[in-house]
Amino acid sequence: MQSGGRQAEAPGRGPRVLVVGGGIAGLGAAQRLCRHPAFSHLRVLEATARAGGRIRSEHSFGGVVEVGAHWIHGPSQGNPVFQLAAKYGLLGEKALSEENQLIETGGHVGLPSVSYASSGVSVSLELVAEMASLFYSLIDQTREFLQAAETTPPSVGEYLKEKIRQHMAGWTEDEETKKLKLAILKNLFNVECCVSGTHSMDLVALAPFGEYTVLPGLDCTFPEGYQGLTDCIMASLPKDVMVFDKPVKTIHWNGSFREASAPGETFPVLVECEDGDCFPAHHVVVTVPLGFFKKHLDTFFEPPLPTEKVEAIRKIGFGTNNKIFLEFEEPFWEPDCQHIQVVWEDMSPLEDTAPELQDAWFKKLIGFWVLPPFQEPPAPRTQEYAEVLLAQRPVHPGLIQLRGRGQLWGRHGPAGPAPPFRRQGGTGLKKMQSSLRLVDCIIEVHDARIPLSGRNPLFQETLGLKPHLLVLNKMDLADLKEQQVIPTVTELVGSSYRYHRGEHVEYCIMVIGVPNVGKSSLINSLRRQHLRKGKATRVGGEPGITRAVMSRIQVCERPLMFLLDTPGVLAPRIPSVETGLKLALCGTVLDHLVGEETLADFLLYTLNRHQLSGYVQHYGLGEACDDIASVLKRVAVKLRKTQKVKVLTGTGNVNVIQPDYPAAARDFLRAFRSGLLGPVMLDRDLLQGRSAEES
């Protein structure tokens, strides 16, 4: 957006452009603008600590799990997402084949591999195919109403139900079969709700429904994760373009704003962030989600948007697709099964009233998609052949979030036994083992703040035959001294027997470690130090983003040395609550698995326990405090992080301004992880205990 009038841009500098939102839309806009020489002053403001928005691939479970976007629908040359993915080499051979791109699906989801009724019996796939043929023929008929001046009935859902009633008149089966047919059709209604992103097809207008263009191509996925696409786009941007953790509060437009660093220059737009920072600009591209727009429409723009734009935003419908992942020790499905349909026998699309959501939310589950096995089994149906099912269900008015909850941390220690925090590292370890004969030495990277808690004991058991070097990364955050890696490795390998290697002097080093300890950062640092080069060239994945085992990267010329980058692997079980919390504090375990406020509480406990008062000085608290609620309240007030809360009283609803405790907890954690609270050794007690035992 820009102002109605046009302020002069500084000669020779070009306009300042801000992109609000770092999802794929914002990244795409930034990439396009960066290609143009006129837009050299570009920034992308992203509210969170990562880019990609709803595209997010998790590699922490031994394989790729798509938390957000999953498929490329219509992967063919007319699809820009497909074109980008092909350009970056992110797709498999089958998806790129001409045959796959020419398949016409009509935009319909394929038939399931197997179908089960809620009573547990199998449903005839012939009956499922018959109902799917009927349903999708009716869906195709709805496109005939495109641009019709008036339609009766007005919605897609009402039209489908009217046609189904007409077809029912010709059904000659018994009542049980008719009821099962309706239940299958209800499942197909729910599938279409997922495809259309709506709570009910009754909310989708019939006349414009045919505007959606269906592209040819059989839906495909990213073998190494959808997030590879946004990672590649982000890697193509100049390094100073992205600004993270900058939620925007208000966009002031149609004004005349000045900046001290640019005297005499005026800007038509000023973007104000939640933390008080302001960014003047000539142009702003807003790419925030529609739901955010709807919620913050009254305060996000100053002055407010024109009435016609406000009304358009309010009238556009949207919804949320939720995913639920189920993990099984052993698969109960056949090896070639890809899609399991779930048919709820007591459901029908012709019912006038829907049951209460909290009582029947699970009946909106449309089925399960079987994800590829995360481990390579010696034979099917063994305990190692663990797989994950993805259940998808259509939208509803409220979001149900499934969250792993462990034991809460008590003021003086863990409140109970360690939670069974299970991780799958079998695939990575097996691939590492298979490449050991090519390796001269192993570098095991540790976060210096957790040198003991951060170790995976399976590394030594599995890979212990080779010379082993432990490297502590992030030493500035733990107040440790630095040592040279390359000379140490050369000496270590030189004094050992080189298994299964030729006589040529070339070193091959495998770099291992738990997630997020900085393995890729170490590799890039060694390249800069010994080769005077930047990040590693793309070998199997983008630099700094390890998606596959065995990316071979040169880091030194004399001696000639290559490192094999590997994905992080956690131990199958985290032994204690305290260890799990330490791992989470260092970013090895995802924050949401523990809870940010719980993590902040443990961090405060640890700092006070070791008499580290860096947080007192950083936030200007005056004195140490062991009450996390009190600390977060003072942090929120200091950072002006507040939120409006609607309180129900006897005289009506009252809006109350309260401290934003989650935002304060995030800032507290961010300050620790960036070293703003001073160096912290989380394993200090364990190290002291070992020293006492040795003495």
Side-chain angles (χ1 to χ4, degrees):
M1 66 186 298
Q2 65 183 54
S3 67
R6 182 176 177 82
Q7 274 78 358
E9 295 160 359
R13 293 184 59 189
R16 286 196 198 179
V17 181
L18 287 175
V19 177
V20 179
I24 192 168
L27 293 175
Q31 186 185 56
R32 181 67 64 89
L33 289 169
C34 282
R35 291 173 183 163
H36 198 288
F39 300 107
S40 58
H41 299 278
L42 173 70
R43 292 290 183 274
V44 179
L45 304 182
E46 165 56 36
T48 68
R50 56 173 291 276
R54 290 184 174 88
I55 294 177
R56 178 178 160 196
S57 306
E58 278 297 329
H59 296 260
S60 309
F61 304 95
V64 179
V65 173
E66 300 289 9
V67 180
H70 196 108
W71 290 278
I72 299 180
H73 299 291
S76 52
Q77 293 306 314
N79 188 326
V81 176
F82 174 77
Q83 291 178 3
L84 277 174
K87 171 186 173 183
Y88 291 125
L90 301 175
L91 299 178
E93 184 178 344
K94 180 180 178 182
L96 293 171
S97 68
E98 185 176 353
E99 293 80 6
N100 196 82
Q101 296 179 47
L102 295 177
I103 295 175
E104 294 285 352
T105 66
H108 307 319
V109 177
L111 293 175
S113 307
V114 64
S115 178
Y116 290 109
S118 50
S119 61
V121 301
S122 296
V123 179
S124 164
L125 289 182
E126 288 77 11
L127 190 62
V128 172
E130 178 188 342
M131 291 299 98
S133 176
L134 167 62
F135 182 80
Y136 289 128
S137 68
L138 297 179
I139 286 288
D140 291 338
Q141 291 175 24
T142 62
R143 306 186 189 283
E144 300 173 3
F145 295 93
L146 181 61
Q147 305 304 334
E150 186 176 338
T151 60
T152 304
S155 75
V156 174
E158 291 171 280
Y159 174 81
L160 293 174
K161 286 184 278 189
E162 181 181 291
K163 291 296 180 180
I164 288 172
R165 288 189 181 95
Q166 294 174 8
H167 279 271
M168 280 185 64
W171 291 354
T172 58
E173 298 90 350
D174 58 79
E175 289 302 315
E176 284 300 315
T177 304
K178 291 179 182 179
K179 191 175 178 181
L180 184 57
K181 281 186 171 183
L182 288 174
I184 296 171
L185 287 170
K186 178 61 177 179
N187 174 277
L188 296 170
F189 264 79
N190 285 340
V191 170
E192 195 62 33
C193 284
C194 276
V195 172
S196 298
T198 180
H199 173 53
S200 167
M201 295 307 294
D202 291 348
L203 303 175
V204 180
L206 180 58
F209 188 62
E211 292 178 355
Y212 186 85
T213 301
V214 178
L215 297 173
L218 190 63
D219 293 355
C220 68
T221 60
F222 292 75
E224 300 297 334
Y226 215 125
Q227 191 174 320
L229 180 61
T230 52
D231 288 342
C232 287
I233 296 175
M234 192 168 67
S236 71
L237 303 176
K239 64 179 181 179
D240 59 342
V241 165
M242 296 297 303
V243 182
F244 294 105
D245 296 310
K246 282 292 175 190
V248 171
K249 179 181 179 183
T250 305
I251 299 176
H252 304 271
W253 63 289
N254 204 19
S256 181
F257 305 96
R258 294 182 180 275
E259 186 181 44
S261 62
E265 187 174 4
T266 58
F267 302 89
V269 189
L270 182 73
V271 176
E272 179 187 357
C273 297
E274 294 281 358
D275 61 3
D277 286 351
C278 292
F279 296 84
H282 295 101
H283 310 279
V284 176
V285 181
V286 182
T287 66
V288 299
L290 178 62
F292 180 91
F293 254 147
K294 287 175 173 287
K295 182 178 180 181
H296 300 279
L297 197 54
D298 294 334
T299 59
F300 198 61
F301 294 101
E302 179 59 41
L305 292 178
T307 304
E308 61 272 16
K309 292 186 183 294
V310 171
E311 286 304 309
I313 292 171
R314 283 179 174 155
K315 287 180 179 178
I316 298 175
F318 81 102
T320 305
N321 277 336
N322 290 308
K323 291 182 175 181
I324 301 172
F325 296 90
L326 304 179
E327 183 181 17
F328 295 84
E329 290 290 341
E330 296 185 34
F332 60 82
W333 51 91
E334 296 300 322
D336 59 347
C337 179
Q338 295 182 335
H339 174 196
I340 302 173
Q341 183 187 55
V342 178
V343 176
W344 302 96
E345 293 164 285
D346 58 342
M347 301 293 286
S348 166
L350 305 182
E351 292 176 350
D352 294 328
T353 58
E356 289 294 325
L357 186 65
Q358 61 266 29
D359 299 327
W361 64 268
F362 54 90
K363 293 187 178 180
K364 300 194 79 173
L365 291 169
I366 61 176
F368 299 88
W369 274 260
V370 180
L371 301 185
F374 289 168
Q375 300 179 1
E376 298 176 6
R381 295 184 179 276
T382 67
Q383 187 158 353
E384 290 184 338
Y385 193 56
E387 299 197 28
V388 173
L389 287 177
L390 160 62
Q392 196 161 357
R393 65 187 178 87
V395 298
H396 55 80
L399 172 66
I400 294 179
Q401 180 183 7
L402 298 185
R403 176 180 168 199
R405 293 183 179 270
Q407 301 287 335
L408 290 178
W409 180 259
R411 178 59 53 197
H412 301 290
F421 195 166
R422 194 166 170 272
R423 288 280 177 179
Q424 296 210 34
T427 302
L429 280 173
K430 285 182 179 179
K431 289 185 178 180
M432 292 176 196
Q433 273 184 301
S434 66
S435 300
L436 275 180
R437 65 183 182 85
L438 305 173
V439 173
D440 297 304
C441 178
I442 292 173
I443 293 179
E444 185 175 341
V445 183
H446 289 263
D447 190 313
R449 296 166 294 182
I450 47 173
L452 298 180
S453 297
R455 287 210 70 181
N456 183 344
L458 293 182
F459 286 152
Q460 187 140 4
E461 297 172 14
T462 310
L463 311 172
L465 293 174
K466 297 288 182 177
H468 211 96
L469 177 66
L470 301 183
V471 174
L472 295 182
N473 198 15
K474 307 180 183 180
M475 290 183 289
D476 56 320
L477 301 179
D479 196 20
L480 295 174
K481 295 181 180 179
E482 192 173 348
Q483 292 184 348
Q484 295 295 315
V485 173
I486 295 294
T488 307
V489 168
T490 306
E491 180 182 352
L492 189 62
V493 176
S495 61
S496 66
Y497 180 74
R498 301 180 70 190
Y499 294 88
H500 306 294
R501 298 298 313 277
E503 294 303 319
H504 61 288
V505 182
E506 172 186 310
Y507 299 97
C508 187
I509 316 300
M510 181 186 292
V511 182
I512 63 175
V514 298
N516 201 32
V517 292
K519 297 182 295 298
S520 298
S521 299
L522 172 66
I523 291 172
N524 291 328
S525 175
L526 293 175
R527 281 175 61 84
R528 284 192 299 270
Q529 182 179 354
H530 296 278
L531 295 179
R532 300 293 188 267
K533 293 183 180 181
K535 290 184 177 180
T537 54
R538 185 168 179 264
V539 183
E542 287 298 307
I545 307 162
T546 309
R547 301 189 192 94
V549 181
M550 304 301 105
S551 299
R552 196 168 187 259
I553 302 164
Q554 183 180 352
V555 294
C556 189
E557 190 71 42
R558 295 181 181 178
L560 184 58
M561 186 173 293
F562 294 89
L563 295 189
L564 299 182
D565 197 6
T566 64
V569 178
L570 270 179
R573 286 183 179 273
I574 295 175
S576 69
V577 174
E578 185 169 0
T579 299
L581 290 167
K582 288 178 181 179
L583 291 168
L585 275 181
C586 294
T588 299
V589 176
L590 297 174
D591 287 354
H592 73 268
L593 293 175
V594 180
E596 290 162 332
E597 292 179 60
T598 301
L599 274 179
D601 191 13
F602 178 69
L603 174 58
L604 179 66
Y605 164 82
T606 303
L607 295 174
N608 289 335
R609 181 182 179 189
H610 298 313
Q611 298 181 348
L612 299 172
S613 57
Y615 73 96
V616 177
Q617 286 79 25
H618 179 69
Y619 290 111
L621 301 182
E623 61 180 0
C625 175
D626 66 354
D627 180 17
I628 188 61
S630 176
V631 170
L632 293 182
K633 180 178 180 180
R634 292 157 74 181
V635 170
V637 171
K638 178 179 175 61
L639 300 177
R640 294 186 293 178
K641 294 184 180 294
T642 58
Q643 58 184 353
K644 286 184 179 180
V645 178
K646 189 171 290 186
V647 178
L648 182 63
T649 68
T651 58
N653 294 340
V654 176
N655 288 327
V656 177
I657 303 296
Q658 290 188 353
D660 191 338
Y661 289 99
R666 286 193 293 271
D667 193 89
F668 192 34
L669 296 174
R670 198 158 46 236
F672 160 73
R673 289 164 179 167
S674 58
L676 297 177
L677 306 184
V680 179
M681 167 67 76
L682 297 175
D683 276 346
R684 185 181 302 275
D685 289 350
L686 295 177
L687 291 171
Q688 290 173 346
R690 287 200 171 191
S691 299
E693 289 175 7
E694 291 170 0
S695 61

